[in-house]
Amino acid sequence: MKRTKTVAFAWFACVWTYTRHYLNIILLYSVWTEWDLIPSQNKVWEPKHDLWMPPWMQMQIFLPLLFLQGLNLFWYYRIWRILLKAIFGSKLDDDREDDEDEDAEPKTKKAKTE
């Protein structure tokens, strides 16, 4: 069972790398370098003519994708840490806590009697 979990997680890491990093970097590169290929008559803000590409739209697209890439890099680090631990080290278990509802009753302090 451990081998199956490790192989499935390794496959997930490969798919994550392709979809979250490789494709995202290609998209960021395209927005940054190919923006000038849009015809200048279409780089206007005229909603009644369905033209939605003013000059500031390049940064409106690029910056959120760049922020998302940074967030994905954080998760990518976490994924590789778990994967390396599963391949070379200990068990691949779910470490999240399941006992959140056990302390549902509020704790009351005992009043000191004098």
Side-chain angles (χ1 to χ4, degrees):
M1 186 66 162
K2 179 186 185 298
R3 182 174 170 90
T4 305
K5 285 194 268 185
T6 305
V7 169
F9 196 75
W11 179 249
F12 162 73
C14 291
V15 170
W16 178 275
T17 301
Y18 178 73
T19 59
R20 302 292 180 171
H21 297 287
Y22 178 74
L23 293 179
N24 197 16
I25 289 171
I26 288 175
L27 186 61
L28 284 167
Y29 179 78
S30 175
V31 169
W32 188 257
T33 61
E34 298 176 4
W35 186 261
D36 297 330
L37 298 177
I38 299 172
S40 59
Q41 67 266 18
N42 292 341
K43 290 185 183 179
V44 292
W45 182 270
E46 293 182 15
K48 51 185 170 172
H49 292 90
D50 289 330
L51 298 172
W52 305 88
M53 287 291 181
W56 51 265
M57 189 60 73
Q58 181 182 16
M59 286 298 127
Q60 188 77 10
I61 296 169
F62 184 80
L63 290 177
L65 288 175
L66 185 64
F67 174 73
L68 182 62
Q69 180 64 28
L71 187 62
N72 285 338
L73 284 172
F74 167 74
W75 285 108
Y76 197 53
Y77 163 75
R78 310 264 308 173
I79 288 168
W80 274 101
R81 194 175 75 174
I82 293 170
L83 184 62
L84 292 175
K85 190 185 299 184
I87 293 172
F88 298 114
S90 60
K91 299 187 299 184
L92 182 63
D93 284 335
D94 190 0
D95 293 335
R96 295 177 290 180
E97 294 182 23
D98 292 317
D99 60 339
E100 293 176 358
D101 294 333
E102 289 180 8
D103 294 317
E105 299 175 9
K107 294 180 181 179
T108 57
K109 293 183 179 179
K110 294 181 180 179
K112 292 184 180 181
T113 55
E114 293 182 31

